[in-house]
Amino acid sequence: MGVLKRFEQRLEGLVNGTFAKVFKSEVQPVEIAGALQRECDNNATIWNRDRTVVPNDFIVELSTPDYERLSPYAGQLGDELAGMVREYAKQQRYTFMGSVKVHLEKAEDLDTGLYRVRSRTQAASVSQAPPPAAGGGWPSLGGAQGGSQGGTQAAGAPPLPPNAPRMPGTPPPGAPAAPAAQTRRWVEINGQRHQISRPTLVLGRSTEADVRIDDPGVSRRHCEIRAGNPSTVQDLGSTNGIVVDGQRATHATLRDGSRIVVGNTTIIYRQAEG
């Protein structure tokens, strides 16, 4: 069972189902959890062969109505989200520079159902950290609402020397370029990997779909992934639609780590060279 599915099941059982009731709006807990995972993936910093550092301090910005509805549960929800981040990092072999924290904040510029994620890498000993930049040390924001936005700054992290040794496998300066590697593409559903070996991959509840998803909220032919540069996903007229990287859509561009929510199932799109 995947990290997001386990997180959602834990959340549904908390406080006698209270969380299941307060999350009846467009903002779903699994979408926020997925955004935190993408924030880790997008801001992972390779320190050496055995250590990849990811952010550990997160702020989830919500619209005023959503924040007021969720604020009474902010502490427990933040703990559950932080636990999900730790579990995901363990699965991906990521490391943190300090304890993981997730906070909820109100954002006046967001409409109901939209959210935004910010992150930073906060060292465990803040007394040795340099003073924050203007604006509290958080990265500037931009882009569409409802997605995951942010960056990483390692508080107290030493700068890399200009003549730092190359990582193993890195060609020396002036070496001829290696031949272009072939892109491998696959999707991960509930911990299982499905290769994309054809130009299109149909996902749905029907046994005739290329990948069958046993979920009552999924249509017989729900959506189709089209391999390319870039790859895309297309809704095939499903009943419940699709949510791609936190935003409802009928057609969307995919990148490595993109999350497609269909019914109660999350599809993770992956691609790699070679």
Side-chain angles (χ1 to χ4, degrees):
M1 185 184 298
V3 174
L4 288 178
K5 192 66 176 179
R6 288 195 295 271
F7 163 77
E8 194 169 32
Q9 290 182 352
R10 287 198 307 270
L11 207 62
E12 289 175 353
L14 290 175
V15 198
N16 296 322
T18 299
F19 281 142
K21 297 175 183 177
V22 299
F23 271 110
K24 291 299 184 183
S25 74
E26 294 180 31
V27 177
Q28 297 297 320
V30 69
E31 293 178 27
I32 297 176
L36 294 176
Q37 289 188 358
R38 290 193 299 277
E39 196 71 11
C40 289
D41 293 337
N42 294 340
N43 296 290
T45 302
I46 299 175
W47 283 41
N48 54 47
R49 294 180 61 184
D50 302 314
R51 189 179 188 192
T52 300
V53 177
V54 294
N56 60 302
D57 203 355
F58 302 86
I59 285 182
V60 179
E61 294 183 330
L62 300 166
S63 67
T64 298
D66 286 328
Y67 177 80
E68 291 176 351
R69 180 169 44 83
L70 295 176
S71 57
Y73 317 98
Q76 194 166 7
L77 179 57
D79 290 342
E80 286 295 323
L81 288 167
M84 184 282 305
V85 171
R86 287 191 293 270
E87 185 179 356
Y88 180 69
K90 182 178 180 181
Q91 181 187 78
Q92 301 297 319
R93 297 186 178 180
Y94 292 151
T95 59
F96 304 107
M97 291 184 64
S99 59
V100 179
K101 299 177 181 178
V102 180
H103 312 274
L104 303 184
E105 283 191 1
K106 179 168 58 177
E108 302 287 350
D109 63 319
L110 292 180
D111 296 329
T112 302
L114 297 181
Y115 62 90
R116 183 164 53 219
V117 173
R118 296 188 289 158
S119 69
R120 65 175 173 179
T121 299
Q122 179 67 55
S125 177
V126 296
S127 60
Q128 298 179 358
W138 293 95
S140 59
L141 300 179
Q145 296 176 344
S148 168
Q149 306 158 22
T152 304
Q153 64 175 45
L160 292 175
N163 58 347
R166 296 188 305 274
M167 291 289 291
T170 304
Q182 185 177 4
T183 301
R184 294 181 294 109
R185 301 177 178 87
W186 69 94
V187 292
E188 296 173 359
I189 306 174
N190 296 329
Q192 293 186 348
R193 177 180 292 193
H194 304 271
Q195 297 292 337
I196 302 176
S197 56
R198 296 186 295 178
T200 61
L201 184 77
V202 175
L203 302 102
R205 192 160 43 88
S206 171
T207 56
E208 298 178 359
D210 297 320
V211 176
R212 184 173 182 270
I213 302 175
D214 187 13
D215 182 335
V218 173
S219 297
R220 293 177 58 81
R221 287 171 54 87
H222 199 106
C223 64
E224 178 181 72
I225 292 178
R226 300 172 181 175
N229 293 306
S231 294
T232 60
V233 60
Q234 175 72 49
D235 179 55
L236 297 177
S238 64
T239 301
N240 296 320
I242 61 175
V243 175
V244 183
D245 292 335
Q247 295 189 6
R248 189 165 294 278
T250 56
H251 179 86
T253 299
L254 300 176
R255 56 174 176 75
D256 181 44
S258 285
R259 280 169 167 75
I260 309 163
V261 179
V262 295
N264 294 312
T265 301
T266 297
I267 303 164
I268 305 175
Y269 172 81
R270 293 292 190 185
Q271 66 179 41
E273 300 296 329

